[in-house]
């Protein structure tokens, strides 16, 4: 197989969108006020314990003894306790918990007063209500706003946060890129129904101890790699006209579009990057793919989609896209600005490509096969339906490239 070289690629990127993978965006417009519950916090302080006296010191001769010592000291007088040479050290303050910086100033972040919640209508539910380090929130009917760079949000029933209110309340969704538990200290990641729509569920943060069994072994591996992801709900869709078949996604996640410094963009090199919905096994494969491409100076990947609950075109066999187990790769951008697209630069039917972009694309397909990053790689050599992309999937037991 053709191995890595440097390719100054000068082709222009032009890709036609075939599908759409976009994370939902939420918008809020409500001014409902919160009526906090009456929960009270009682502090219990242990009574101070008496410090035991030091053992008797060795006797030291008095250089100026009392010429007339009291021969009959008062037997009822309390014994003298020698003082310590130094006062006891004051215990150091505990360092601040780094997870308190998660969503700082925004929904789900720590707070002491409403002014700490730096957005329109921000409300602080204080620690006295049982919210560890306080919780910035916002009244909601069903949707909550999001902020770039912060964990996304979700509208939950006030009882999920342990308070009473006239409306739902916003909290942050679990984000394992921000914290190994997905939440701030004192909070747990839990599958919750939306306020007023309990059948619509998301993993969100509520007060409580973390659940050590929440993540699957695959998701634990993703976490160990340092991937930025959030747990997703399995849509359990059905292909059109086939309710008896289910598109069951294994351990679904929302994966950050920037992976090991490589940005994945849908359909265009200038598209705004959005989170990738994928099975966990595919997320691991994308992590391997990004590491491979980053070594060659690739900064951006143009893809044509991951999840699509459908059959393979022209057949009655379920596509691996139906399980979020496949991605279609259309183009690559390198740090020097050079571009290689499958549509314009792949040299179909040529064993030894003569152009540098063509050689680079052949190397990509060959390396994905040789390193078994994907089990099936279909190129324009396979058929005309793949003239503009590499189809890459994780079909169990397969090892195929054409």
């Amino acid at each position: 197989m053709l191995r890595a070289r440097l390719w100054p690629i000068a082709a222009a990127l032009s890709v036609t969108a075939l599908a759409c993978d976009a994370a939902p965006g939420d918008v809020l417009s409500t001014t409902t006020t919160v009526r906090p519950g009456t929960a009270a916090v009682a502090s219990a302080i242990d009574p101070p314990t008496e410090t035991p006296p030091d053992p008797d010191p060795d006797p030291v001769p008095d250089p100026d003894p009392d010429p007339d010592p009291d021969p009959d000291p008062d037997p009822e007088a309390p014994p003298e306790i020698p003082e310590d040479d130094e006062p006891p050290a004051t215990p150091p303050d505990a360092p601040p918990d780094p997870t308190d910086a998660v969503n700082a100033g925004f929904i789900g972040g720590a707070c002491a007063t409403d002014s700490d919640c730096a957005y329109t209508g921000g409300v602080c539910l204080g620690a006295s209500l049982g919210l560890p380090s306080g919780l910035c929130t916002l009244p909601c009917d069903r949707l909550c706003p999001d902020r770039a760079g912060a964990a996304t949000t979700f509208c939950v029933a006030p009882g999920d946060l342990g308070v009473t209110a006239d409306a739902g309340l916003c909290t942050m969704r679990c984000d394992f890129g921000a914290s190994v538990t997905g939440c701030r200290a004192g909070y747990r990641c839990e599958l919750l129904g939306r306020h007023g729509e309990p059948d619509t569920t998301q993993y969100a943060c509520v007060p409580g101890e973390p659940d050590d069994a929440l993540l699957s072994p695959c998701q634990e591996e993703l976490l160990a790699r340092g991937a930025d992801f959030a747990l997703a709900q399995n849509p359990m869709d059905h292909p059109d006209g086939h309710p008896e078949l289910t598109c069951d996604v294994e351990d679904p996640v929302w994966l950050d579009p920037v992976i090991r410094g490589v940005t994945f963009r849908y359909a265009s090199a200038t598209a705004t990057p959005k989170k990738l919905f994928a099975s966990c096994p595919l997320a691991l494969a994308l992590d391997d793919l990004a590491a491979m491409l980053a070594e060659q100076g690739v900064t951006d990947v143009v893809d044509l989609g991951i999840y699509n609950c459908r059959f393979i075109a022209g057949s009655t066999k379920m596509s691996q896209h139906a399980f979020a187990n496949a991605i279609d790769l259309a183009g690559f951008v390198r740090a020097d600005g050079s571009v290689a697209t499958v549509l314009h630069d792949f040299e179909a039917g040529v064993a030894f490509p003569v152009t540098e972009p063509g050689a680079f694309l052949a190397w990509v397909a060959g390396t994905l096969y040789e390193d078994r990053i994907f089990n099936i790689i279909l190129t324009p050599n396979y058929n005309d339906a793949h003239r503009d992309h590499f189809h890459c999937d994780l079909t169990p037991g397969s090892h195929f490239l054409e």
Side-chain angles (χ1 to χ4, degrees):
M1 288 293 176
L2 187 59
R3 280 296 179 182
R5 301 186 299 174
L6 295 179
W7 297 271
I9 305 167
L13 181 61
S14 174
V15 183
T16 302
L18 301 183
C20 180
D21 287 269
D26 292 342
V27 179
L28 174 76
S29 58
T30 179
T31 57
T32 310
T33 57
V34 176
R35 184 181 73 247
T38 58
V41 176
S43 298
I45 303 176
D46 291 335
T49 57
E50 185 178 12
T51 303
D54 289 342
D56 291 338
D58 292 336
V60 178
D62 188 348
D64 186 18
D66 186 346
D68 187 20
D70 185 355
D72 187 20
D74 183 358
E76 301 298 326
E80 291 186 3
I81 299 176
E83 296 181 359
D84 292 334
D85 291 337
E86 296 181 1
T90 303
D93 293 334
D97 192 293
T99 64
D100 277 348
V102 175
N103 275 29
F106 192 56
I107 292 167
C111 61
T113 67
D114 290 352
S115 63
D116 294 329
C117 306
Y119 52 94
T120 303
V123 176
C124 176
L125 300 180
S128 62
L129 295 175
L131 285 300
S133 299
L135 179 79
C136 283
T137 187
L138 189 71
C140 55
D141 290 329
R142 52 187 302 275
L143 301 179
C144 297
D146 287 330
R147 174 184 286 178
T152 53
T153 59
F154 191 55
C155 182
V156 301
D160 291 330
L161 297 177
V163 299
T164 58
D166 293 330
L169 295 172
C170 296
T171 188
M172 63 173 277
R173 297 184 192 177
C174 309
D175 187 334
F176 290 88
S179 164
V180 295
T181 65
C183 300
R184 289 168 40 213
Y187 294 80
R188 61 182 282 130
C189 183
E190 192 170 309
L191 185 63
L192 300 172
R194 172 178 282 157
H195 173 65
E197 299 177 8
D199 290 339
T200 301
T201 59
Q202 292 287 352
Y203 285 91
C205 297
V206 295
E209 292 300 315
D211 181 359
D212 293 337
L214 179 67
L215 300 182
S216 70
C218 176
Q219 291 164 342
E220 290 281 6
E221 170 64 19
L222 201 58
L223 183 64
R225 293 189 184 195
D228 188 347
F229 71 98
L231 298 180
Q233 185 181 8
N234 191 340
M236 300 295 282
D237 292 331
H238 308 283
D240 290 343
H242 290 273
E244 76 282 4
L245 299 176
T246 300
C247 297
D248 188 3
V249 179
E250 180 184 352
D251 300 333
V253 298
W254 285 107
L255 190 63
D256 191 87
V258 181
I259 307 171
R260 297 187 182 271
V262 178
T263 301
F264 286 72
R265 302 176 189 269
Y266 176 72
S268 168
T270 59
T272 300
K274 296 182 178 180
K275 292 189 176 184
L276 307 170
F277 177 76
S279 70
C280 183
L282 181 67
L284 291 176
L286 293 179
D287 185 66
D288 292 336
L289 168 65
M292 179 193 95
L293 294 175
E295 291 180 352
Q296 302 303 319
V298 173
T299 59
D300 297 82
V301 171
V302 178
D303 74 86
L304 299 182
I306 293 176
Y307 176 69
N308 190 347
C309 185
R310 62 171 175 82
F311 294 114
I312 296 173
S315 77
T316 56
K317 182 179 179 181
M318 295 280 276
S319 167
Q320 285 295 302
H321 285 291
F323 310 115
N325 236 15
I327 187 170
D328 292 337
L329 304 175
F332 307 88
V333 182
R334 302 184 70 211
D336 62 3
S338 57
V339 178
T341 70
V342 177
L343 180 63
H344 295 293
D345 299 308
F346 186 81
E347 299 177 37
V350 178
F352 300 98
V354 296
T355 66
E356 290 179 329
F360 172 71
L361 292 172
W363 172 83
V364 169
T367 304
L368 292 178
Y369 174 80
E370 290 182 352
D371 292 353
R372 293 180 178 266
I373 293 176
F374 292 98
N375 295 344
I376 289 181
I377 302 99
L378 304 180
T379 75
N381 286 333
Y382 184 68
N383 62 18
D384 189 60
H386 296 86
R387 65 187 178 279
D388 62 353
H389 67 275
F390 295 160
H391 168 88
C392 307
D393 74 43
L394 299 174
T395 299
S398 297
H399 190 214
F400 181 82
L401 165 65
E402 185 176 349

